[in-house]
Amino acid sequence: MEFLARFRPHQRGFGFLHLVGDDLLTANEVTIARDDGPAVIGDRAFVPPPLARGLVADDLVMADIQADDRGLSAATITIRARPRTMLVGTVVEGPGRLVLDPDRALATGWVDLDPAVVPQLRGAAGRIAVVLRSTGEDGRPVARALVAGPFVAGSPQAVRATATVVACERAAVDLIPGGPEGAGLEPTDASITHARFVGIVAGGGRGAAAGLSPSVTPLSDLANTDAADTEDKLPNRSALMHLDRTAEVCVTVDSPSARDLDDAVGAAWSGDHADPVKVQVHIADAAGAVEFNSPADLYARTVASTTYPTIGSNAPMLDPELSESSLSLIAGQRRHVVSVRFDVTSTGAIENVAIEAATIVSDARLSYQSVEHLLDGDDAAVRAEVTTSAHQSDQATSDDILATVTAAIEAARRLGIDRDARMTFDELFSSAEWEPALVDGKLTVIAAESEARAYRLIERLMVAANEAVAAFLASQGIPALYRVHAGLDPDRLERLQAAVTHLDIEAPGLAPEGDPAGLMGEVLAAIDQLAADGNTDARDLLVAVATGTMARASYDPDPSHHRGLASAAYTHFTSPIRRYADLTVHRQLRAALAGEPPPWSAAQLAGLAVWLDHRTGALSLMQATERRALWALLLDRGHIDGDHTAVVTGLTTNGVRIRLPALGLGGFITAERALGLPAGQRGTLTVDDHGLTTTSGPWNVGTMFDVRFVGLDEADRPIWRLAQDGTPSS
């Protein structure tokens, strides 16, 4: 029987077809009869190596699917559409010709080079190249043009190029439900912008935002317009009055390397514990400078977010002249902002919320590091940064700025009381202690989150501002992009139920008639009780399963409950320079403050939400892919040796899935290594139906033990074995 499907290659040369419905994207489960046994039900079919060669990841195909005792498999395949426009791989000297051996996440089998590309890659055998793809007469991909590279294989630049192409093309415009039209974009323009973005970023560049006009009116027309008329042509300038708040003290707090400063904070407090802390969160008025549907806006909407690779410069969503200069809240410079003002009571409650357009001057640029020192009682670093700030305002003294920062710290501390009282899984997640970085041009390992406390304090103020804006928009019935989070993923509750049953724990929220809203609290209570009883193994198992059950947050015009933060309504408002979702919220909010109709309707926002979820998801995947590859390089070069603590996240008959919390890195230990079998001997684990426990060794989800790096496999993934002292505790 023939079915529509999307192709995904496997590292070992074969692949799988993921069957899709009439929308060409949604999974389609089918039932195929057999002559020699029961019918087979599934939504995935095996593709043998001969058929897999010549296909590219995400190809839309029509396939003849057959069933046997091993499941579903493809007998014939016809290509219908090929959404990916770029490939990345190794230049190889084939028999009598140069070819491209594509990354195994993209395709299997060599890709021929167009004759025009061959001279550009002559002498580049063994190097990594990014190419623009076309399709030959036989349906196989052909490298039509060199886009980036060639790069030295194993270099950080090659890692960035590979991660960019592999991940970002997962959100090619034809692979997003609703397509670019759903986000109000013209399909051809969006495709061109996407391709330019991927190519430039893969080559180490900063994207294509530079020079794009923030106005719908062409710059040439503005240049020939009288000054009095120009003001009316610029976006939103006449619609909203900005209150003068330049006399109030405020500061930016960010990492020293940050170029795009979205936010500044101000705070005042009497010092009396009973008195409220008066807080101001100022956010750059990007919507007042970037007109809706201008070239700058359409580019930002297409790429969805500023991209922050580990290697090389970031790729800003907006022209650096805007994001890093005229919109950035640089100390000593007058800037338009949208501000959220509120009081934080002694119990952490937020009162007297007000939202306004304002003009401010940031009095100093501080770093997380200096605030971290202040938290330890040392104010010298803050005073030094105030003194040495290149654009320091002359209206506030060091004492004024210290008082403001101290008040902001007190407000964040109080907000933490309220936050900690909410039922969330935040405390169950462990942060990485080390991360890869490029320092002075060399790949190395640095400490992660060295200023974690200061970062979290500022984050609490931003979360409070986001909640305040969401509450305002929801109460006014203003369509907006809300950040929604289901808490525990309904599709993963079966595994959580299995864990609860295995541990003999009561969780009424899992029952059909139970209250799912209370389930998170029930799980947290059970975790606390297991810890109090000293049942560490059971506690670790439940923690590992619970954290793996968390749903992904997404954008939605419906202000549904955000269970991840235990918020009634939540939105992204504090980064309009860096995220298009925030810029959209600013536009809706600005219109509400001005008494004007919002530019986006709820129906339009629904399409935009889907687009942004896929685009930002691809950027997150790019960063994760790049990070994993960099860790592989660092481990292989001996930057981190010795034993590492790992935790079991899943069990299969083939081995043990692990996570190394200190590195923030996942991995796998084969059954042979887990069982300590001699080289060449095959082994399997006996695992329960949900991959929680095994009877073939002391393995449970949540079990912690030490592992040691062995080397890289044929796909350059780290290979792990048990440490010398061996077996995990059980």
Side-chain angles (χ1 to χ4, degrees):
M1 300 177 65
E2 288 195 328
F3 296 95
L4 285 167
R6 294 279 181 186
F7 174 71
R8 285 288 174 84
H10 190 276
Q11 296 281 355
R12 294 183 179 176
F14 51 86
F16 292 94
L17 294 180
H18 294 257
L19 279 60
V20 295
D22 292 339
D23 64 357
L24 311 182
L25 294 169
T26 304
N28 178 31
E29 188 174 78
V30 301
T31 301
I32 299 182
R34 292 171 52 195
D35 294 333
D36 57 348
V40 177
I41 302 173
D43 59 4
R44 192 172 78 158
F46 176 75
V47 181
L51 280 180
R53 295 190 191 99
L55 296 178
V56 175
D58 299 309
D59 277 356
L60 177 67
V61 303
M62 180 65 76
D64 180 18
I65 306 296
Q66 299 178 347
D68 58 26
D69 57 355
R70 292 172 297 181
L72 302 180
S73 61
T76 62
I77 292 176
T78 303
I79 299 173
R80 287 289 188 89
R82 179 162 282 160
R84 286 183 179 257
T85 59
M86 291 190 193
L87 296 174
V88 60
T90 306
V91 180
V92 174
E93 191 71 59
R97 71 192 196 283
L98 278 179
V99 294
L100 186 77
D101 186 14
D103 186 273
R104 287 296 180 264
L106 299 179
T108 62
W110 287 343
V111 174
D112 285 331
L113 305 181
D114 186 275
V117 180
V118 174
Q120 298 174 285
L121 293 177
R122 190 168 286 121
R127 300 202 168 201
I128 305 297
V130 177
V131 298
L132 189 65
R133 176 208 56 76
S134 63
T135 300
E137 293 181 359
D138 59 357
R140 293 177 178 267
V142 176
R144 178 164 61 89
L146 179 64
V147 174
F151 303 107
V152 175
S155 67
Q157 292 75 20
V159 168
R160 170 170 169 155
T162 301
T164 301
V165 175
V166 168
C168 290
E169 286 270 85
R170 285 280 293 272
V173 297
D174 292 338
L175 290 172
I176 299 177
E181 298 98 329
L185 296 165
E186 199 282 320
T188 300
D189 291 344
S191 295
I192 293 171
T193 297
H194 166 75
R196 289 188 65 209
F197 168 80
V198 173
I200 294 171
V201 175
R206 305 195 68 197
L212 295 177
S213 172
S215 174
V216 170
T217 305
L219 293 177
S220 57
D221 291 353
L222 287 175
N224 297 321
T225 303
D226 292 338
D229 296 331
T230 301
E231 184 74 9
D232 291 334
K233 291 181 180 292
L234 292 174
N236 303 316
R237 292 295 171 86
S238 60
L240 202 60
M241 296 296 295
H242 290 76
L243 299 176
D244 188 348
R245 301 291 190 183
T246 56
E248 295 181 351
V249 178
C250 64
V251 298
T252 61
V253 182
D254 215 318
S255 64
S257 61
R259 302 178 181 181
D260 38 13
L261 305 177
D262 291 283
D263 57 85
V265 296
W269 179 44
S270 68
D272 188 327
H273 178 73
D275 289 344
V277 182
K278 296 185 176 299
V279 177
Q280 308 91 45
V281 175
H282 307 296
I283 307 300
D285 185 15
V290 180
E291 192 171 3
F292 186 58
N293 281 338
S294 65
D297 177 62
L298 294 174
Y299 176 86
R301 195 184 314 168
T302 303
V303 303
S305 172
T306 292
T307 306
Y308 294 96
T310 300
I311 300 305
S313 299
N314 68 333
M317 179 183 81
L318 297 173
D319 186 343
E321 286 296 317
L322 289 170
S323 61
E324 299 170 10
S325 182
S326 61
L327 285 177
S328 189
L329 304 186
I330 299 169
Q333 304 297 311
R334 292 174 63 91
R335 292 289 185 264
H336 285 337
V337 296
V338 178
S339 302
V340 181
R341 307 172 74 88
F342 53 89
D343 295 346
V344 183
T345 69
S346 59
T347 60
I350 295 176
E351 297 179 344
N352 302 323
V353 175
I355 302 173
E356 64 183 26
T359 302
I360 66 161
V361 174
S362 173
D363 293 290
R365 174 174 178 167
L366 305 180
S367 67
Y368 291 125
Q369 185 177 32
S370 69
V371 175
E372 195 82 12
H373 285 300
L374 186 61
L375 291 170
D376 291 328
D378 180 6
D379 65 6
V382 169
R383 291 186 182 276
E385 287 183 346
V386 171
T387 301
T388 60
S389 177
H391 300 287
Q392 179 191 345
S393 168
D394 58 5
Q395 72 178 29
T397 66
S398 294
D399 287 342
D400 294 332
I401 292 171
L402 270 171
T404 295
V405 177
T406 300
I409 290 172
E410 173 62 16
R413 185 195 67 79
R414 295 180 178 191
L415 289 169
I417 296 172
D418 176 69
R419 178 71 57 203
D420 293 343
R422 304 185 190 186
M423 290 295 187
T424 75
F425 279 4
D426 286 354
E427 70 274 15
L428 301 183
F429 290 90
S430 58
S431 299
E433 299 174 14
W434 304 97
E435 62 185 14
L438 204 63
V439 179
D440 296 330
K442 295 182 179 180
L443 184 62
T444 188
V445 176
I446 62 172
E449 289 196 347
S450 56
E451 296 90 34
R453 291 180 301 164
Y455 176 84
R456 291 192 183 99
L457 288 172
I458 298 301
E459 182 183 46
R460 284 176 185 167
L461 299 178
M462 299 302 121
V463 168
N466 285 334
E467 288 182 334
V469 169
F472 171 80
L473 292 169
S475 67
Q476 299 297 310
I478 306 298
L481 277 180
Y482 295 96
R483 195 67 171 163
V484 299
H485 193 291
L488 301 180
D489 188 342
D491 295 333
R492 302 179 187 177
L493 292 184
E494 184 178 348
R495 191 166 188 246
L496 181 60
Q497 176 67 72
V500 166
T501 301
H502 173 73
L503 298 173
D504 194 21
I505 293 170
E506 291 187 6
L510 283 169
E513 69 280 4
D515 177 16
L519 179 57
M520 189 175 292
E522 294 169 4
V523 173
L524 288 170
I527 289 170
D528 290 342
Q529 187 61 54
L530 291 170
D533 293 343
N535 197 342
T536 304
D537 291 345
R539 185 257 180 205
D540 291 343
L541 187 153
L542 189 55
V543 167
V545 174
T547 53
T549 311
M550 288 292 288
R552 292 179 179 272
S554 60
Y555 292 111
D556 197 297
D558 178 10
S560 300
H561 197 77
H562 191 300
R563 300 194 191 283
L565 290 170
S567 300
Y570 193 74
T571 192
H572 278 167
F573 157 76
T574 54
S575 295
I577 292 176
R578 296 180 273 186
R579 285 190 304 235
Y580 193 81
D582 302 53
L583 180 58
T584 300
V585 168
H586 271 247
R587 288 207 173 98
Q588 303 295 94
L589 180 61
R590 239 177 162 274
L593 295 176
E596 298 179 346
W600 292 90
S601 68
Q604 291 170 325
L605 287 173
L608 178 64
V610 174
W611 175 268
L612 295 180
D613 280 339
H614 282 74
R615 296 293 301 184
T616 56
L619 295 179
S620 296
L621 177 61
M622 170 197 164
Q623 292 164 344
T625 302
E626 180 191 37
R627 194 171 183 277
R628 286 194 299 267
L630 293 174
W631 268 127
L633 291 176
L634 288 165
L635 288 164
D636 194 45
R637 296 171 184 177
H639 282 262
I640 289 188
D641 55 12
D643 299 342
H644 307 276
T645 298
V647 59
V648 177
T649 58
L651 295 164
T652 72
T653 57
N654 294 323
V656 182
R657 295 192 187 97
I658 61 173
R659 180 168 180 79
L660 289 76
L663 307 185
L665 184 65
F668 188 79
I669 296 179
T670 63
E672 294 79 17
R673 292 184 184 275
L675 296 172
L677 298 178
Q681 183 174 340
R682 295 296 301 274
T684 60
L685 301 179
T686 305
V687 180
D688 73 296
D689 291 341
H690 297 280
L692 299 177
T693 63
T694 177
T695 59
S696 50
W699 306 98
N700 296 298
V701 167
T703 299
M704 295 185 183
F705 57 100
D706 288 341
V707 298
R708 181 163 292 186
F709 173 72
V710 176
L712 302 180
D713 65 12
E714 68 278 1
D716 290 332
R717 296 171 300 193
I719 302 171
W720 301 96
R721 64 168 173 79
L722 299 183
Q724 293 292 343
D725 54 1
T727 60
S729 59
S730 59

